[in-house]
Amino acid sequence: RWPSLLKYYSHTDGVSWLEEYKARHNAGLEAQRIVASFSKRFFSEHVPCDGFSDIETLGCPSHFFEDELMCILNMEGRKGLTWKYYAKKILYFLRQQNILKNLKEYLQRPTDQQSFLEGAVLIDQYCNPLSDICLKSVQAQVDDITDKVRKVLRTKNPRHPSLASKAGEVLVPEVELQRQVLDAMNCVLYEQLKYKGNELDYYNSLNSYIHQVLIRRTGIPISLSVLYLTIARQLGVKLEPVNFPSHFLLRWCQGKEGSTDIFDYTYIDAFGKGKQLTVKECEYLIGHHVTEEFYGVVTSKEVLQRMVGNLLNLGKRESTDQSYQLLRDSLDLYLAMYPDNVQHLMLQARLYFHLGIWPEKVLDILQHIQALDPSQHGAVGYLVQHTLEHIERRKEEVGPEVKHRSDEKHKEVCFSIGLIMKHKRYGYNCVIYGWDPACMMGHEWIRNMNVHSLPHGPHQPFYNVLVEDGSCRYAAQENLEHNSEPREIPHPDIGRYFSEFAGTHYLANTELELRYPEDLELTCATVQKIYSSGKE
């Protein structure tokens, strides 16, 4: 019944299976209770930072609880969308908390016990907590590439010391023998397996995730360097990471080990098919001269800092993801490594403030910034004032407005909750999750969106819609029309508002239906009228 739990048991363990079954069953009931409560508690707002407090004090084994959440997420069909939505949020939180704990333990180890590959996997796991990524599986794939390199090496030099030793136990002493290893690596990685730098889609976040680098066989300089360095070290060749500006490199010592002379090293470009470079060629690579300090070796923590920094920059660039999830995740990672970095703490506070979420946490961050750097009092004071105002407004909010279609002021509203629409002008597909009898946005928004140029201007119904590209928009009635070929809308918030996709329309969940109690009947009547000649 629960095959994914097999990994938690050994064949030699004496286990009371009745007790295990009871524990798993009870954990399932607890998970279902909590998931069911989330929609009612958090429908009107983002799940607050303290919203997971009852999950952190679970009275059942966490792996059983997670397994039930996975069962909910893997439910077949188009039902249970709201349960899936909140199960995903809870699972995301639980796994990230666990990964963050593992990262902090990793950073506390002695430097020589911090594997570059393990660090890259931790970053990958944190940004993709719902994917099945584990160090064991990534290491197995790297070992497979290493075995392929050994086969090539064996044909060139059957007596090579890398063939006799196990995973990097013995360092290959001679430079010429090391060169043979690197040549065999280049043959396997770039000729046989066709690994390459992703020049065409350089700014895709997948290039930074080590499990995706192994699947897609492409990446950016730093992710390919981590792979290259790991394989080389398993074969007895000590390469070191170099935090070169704009283009991460590796260095290979040609002189006395530990030399501080940058000319005693050859520099390797894993992004450029393992090309070996001189100091002068490294400068040609980036187009300008750099000082000697940029050729020095860096620690595993500094490598992770650069990897996370890349993701931070990508998170800032993303315009379609309105939740800024990548930026939030990369900020969490950066502050786990450097918890007192004022610049990134301020960015995190501004981000949460911009998103209108977690005002209490914003105040905590601002208090921490003020203690670290009193010179920030101007920016801190501004954010504190506006955050306190936000908290006060939230306290004053009355219950949600219930909109009855039978009200005289709503007589012009033609469309209803759950209908799948098409935008006449921009052609996007969307689903309605809210409506107003007239435009409720401020004058600035109305001016910026040029609403007055519409024939009916702002004095017509406007609809909140979830769009297939992942965005949320506010569309005028005259710009929307029924979609002749309705299909599911792949929006991350679909489950927040709807419980089921019924083939031609969405069914509002309990919380949304309470706010629009008369819409369901109209939606069903509209769908029957429009699609009766086709599918039900």
Side-chain angles (χ1 to χ4, degrees):
R1 179 160 177 186
W2 299 301
S4 60
L5 294 175
L6 281 173
K7 62 187 175 187
Y8 294 103
Y9 300 98
S10 163
H11 291 297
T12 57
D13 286 346
V15 177
S16 168
W17 293 108
L18 177 59
E19 292 307 312
E20 291 297 295
Y21 180 90
K22 285 179 181 176
R24 171 60 183 84
H25 178 72
N26 290 332
L29 295 177
E30 180 69 359
Q32 290 175 29
R33 181 191 67 77
I34 290 175
V35 170
S37 75
F38 263 54
S39 179
K40 190 171 184 178
R41 290 159 62 196
F42 305 124
F43 177 81
S44 301
E45 60 174 339
H46 285 271
V47 179
C49 50
D50 59 355
F52 298 102
S53 54
D54 49 353
I55 296 167
E56 294 178 289
T57 54
L58 281 174
C60 59
S62 61
H63 61 284
F64 284 167
F65 189 86
E66 281 195 24
D67 193 59
E68 181 63 28
L69 295 176
M70 285 303 301
C71 286
I72 293 170
L73 282 174
N74 293 330
M75 284 192 300
E76 291 185 13
R78 299 156 166 179
K79 297 184 179 182
L81 299 181
T82 300
W83 275 51
K84 289 176 183 178
Y85 174 78
Y86 287 106
K88 185 176 180 179
K89 282 199 173 299
I90 295 168
L91 191 59
Y92 207 96
F93 169 81
L94 280 174
R95 289 191 173 174
Q96 282 197 327
Q97 290 299 104
N98 196 40
I99 296 159
L100 217 50
K101 187 175 111 186
N102 293 340
L103 175 63
K104 288 173 181 175
E105 288 173 358
Y106 168 90
L107 293 169
Q108 287 169 0
R109 289 186 218 153
T111 308
D112 60 350
Q113 293 177 28
Q114 293 176 346
S115 144
F116 294 100
L117 186 68
E118 183 180 355
V121 168
L122 285 166
I123 290 173
D124 191 348
Q125 288 174 325
Y126 193 82
C127 295
N128 302 284
L130 302 183
S131 300
D132 189 15
I133 305 162
C134 67
L135 178 61
K136 186 177 179 182
S137 138
V138 170
Q139 184 65 63
Q141 292 176 73
V142 174
D143 290 345
D144 186 52
I145 298 172
T146 306
D147 288 341
K148 286 181 169 65
V149 176
R150 284 199 178 96
K151 285 180 183 176
V152 170
L153 199 55
R154 190 172 284 112
T155 63
K156 306 288 184 184
N157 183 355
R159 302 178 68 179
H160 196 286
S162 292
L163 301 175
S165 65
K166 289 182 182 177
E169 283 181 3
V170 179
L171 286 176
V172 176
E174 297 173 28
V175 170
E176 183 50 40
L177 290 173
Q178 292 177 16
R179 188 183 306 281
Q180 290 174 10
V181 171
L182 298 181
D183 288 345
M185 281 176 55
N186 290 344
C187 174
V188 170
L189 279 171
Y190 304 113
E191 293 175 29
Q192 291 183 12
L193 299 177
K194 307 295 182 190
Y195 275 80
K196 62 180 179 180
N198 195 347
E199 294 177 349
L200 295 177
D201 194 15
Y202 190 88
Y203 296 104
N204 189 328
S205 60
L206 298 181
N207 295 324
S208 295
Y209 303 140
I210 195 69
H211 88 283
Q212 288 290 350
V213 171
L214 290 164
I215 291 169
R216 300 160 73 237
R217 301 187 182 184
T218 189
I220 52 176
I222 193 166
S223 55
L224 289 169
S225 291
V226 167
L227 176 61
Y228 197 99
L229 174 150
T230 303
I231 296 168
R233 289 193 172 191
Q234 289 186 183
L235 292 164
V237 179
K238 185 182 178 183
L239 301 183
E240 297 172 304
V242 176
N243 213 0
F244 204 65
S246 307
H247 198 106
F248 199 87
L249 296 170
L250 300 169
R251 73 178 193 182
W252 169 34
C253 187
Q254 306 286 288
K256 185 179 178 183
E257 186 178 349
S259 169
T260 56
D261 186 347
I262 64 172
F263 294 98
D264 280 346
Y265 293 88
T266 292
Y267 299 87
I268 295 174
D269 180 12
F271 185 82
K273 298 189 175 181
K275 187 177 180 182
Q276 295 171 11
L277 308 169
T278 63
V279 168
K280 186 57 70 178
E281 287 171 330
C282 290
E283 293 182 351
Y284 288 149
L285 185 67
I286 60 170
H288 60 86
H289 172 72
V290 295
T291 55
E292 287 194 10
E293 64 184 296
F294 290 104
Y295 291 91
V297 66
V298 288
T299 64
S300 52
K301 184 176 180 180
E302 290 169 314
V303 172
L304 296 196
Q305 178 187 353
R306 179 143 171 184
M307 294 183 91
V308 171
N310 288 337
L311 290 168
L312 261 170
N313 290 331
L314 291 177
K316 292 175 189 175
R317 291 165 62 106
E318 284 193 351
S319 57
T320 55
D321 180 11
Q322 295 183 335
S323 70
Y324 291 93
Q325 192 63 57
L326 179 57
L327 182 56
R328 288 159 64 180
D329 290 344
S330 45
L331 274 171
D332 287 346
L333 288 166
Y334 197 98
L335 291 168
M337 293 187 283
Y338 302 98
D340 295 334
N341 185 288
V342 170
Q343 179 188 351
H344 289 86
L345 283 167
M346 184 61 83
L347 177 58
Q348 188 176 58
R350 289 184 187 280
L351 177 62
Y352 292 155
F353 178 78
H354 167 74
L355 294 173
I357 61 173
W358 301 352
E360 290 81 8
K361 185 168 183 178
V362 171
L363 292 177
D364 289 342
I365 297 169
L366 293 172
Q367 187 177 13
H368 186 41
I369 292 170
Q370 188 63 37
L372 291 169
D373 184 1
S375 70
Q376 297 286 333
H377 65 89
V380 167
Y382 174 85
L383 284 174
V384 166
Q385 178 188 341
H386 287 276
T387 302
L388 289 172
E389 287 173 3
H390 172 70
I391 292 172
E392 286 305 311
R393 282 196 305 272
R394 199 174 62 179
K395 287 178 182 174
E396 292 168 6
E397 286 175 0
V398 292
E401 181 187 358
V402 177
K403 295 180 179 177
H404 291 278
R405 189 166 287 277
S406 53
D407 284 0
E408 180 64 22
K409 62 182 178 180
H410 298 152
K411 65 179 181 180
E412 300 297 327
V413 179
C414 295
F415 307 132
S416 52
I417 301 299
L419 288 178
I420 296 173
M421 312 298 289
K422 195 176 192 72
H423 197 280
K424 294 178 184 177
R425 184 175 177 186
Y426 299 119
Y428 60 71
N429 298 309
C430 58
V431 58
I432 296 171
Y433 71 96
W435 50 257
D436 297 309
C439 183
M440 301 299 288
M441 302 298 275
H443 294 299
E444 187 178 350
W445 187 90
I446 289 172
R447 185 175 64 251
N448 290 341
M449 300 304 291
N450 205 20
V451 172
H452 285 293
S453 67
L454 295 171
H456 296 94
H459 307 295
Q460 61 175 310
F462 269 70
Y463 297 85
N464 302 102
V465 295
L466 301 177
V467 183
E468 58 192 342
D469 65 2
S471 64
C472 304
R473 304 192 191 183
Y474 195 49
Q477 180 164 282
E478 65 184 80
N479 280 338
L480 294 176
E481 62 184 357
H482 293 115
N483 195 318
S484 59
E485 296 179 354
R487 57 176 181 266
E488 287 186 82
I489 304 296
H491 193 286
D493 281 347
I494 203 82
R496 183 176 178 181
Y497 304 101
F498 302 103
S499 61
E500 180 182 346
F501 179 63
T504 53
H505 60 289
Y506 280 92
L507 298 179
N509 61 22
T510 305
E511 300 307 314
L512 188 62
E513 197 174 342
L514 287 173
R515 287 155 176 77
Y516 298 90
E518 296 168 5
D519 269 44
L520 178 60
E521 188 177 343
L522 178 62
T523 298
C524 293
T526 304
V527 165
Q528 191 171 10
K529 181 180 176 183
I530 297 172
Y531 306 115
S532 57
S533 57
K535 50 192 175 182
E536 287 186 21

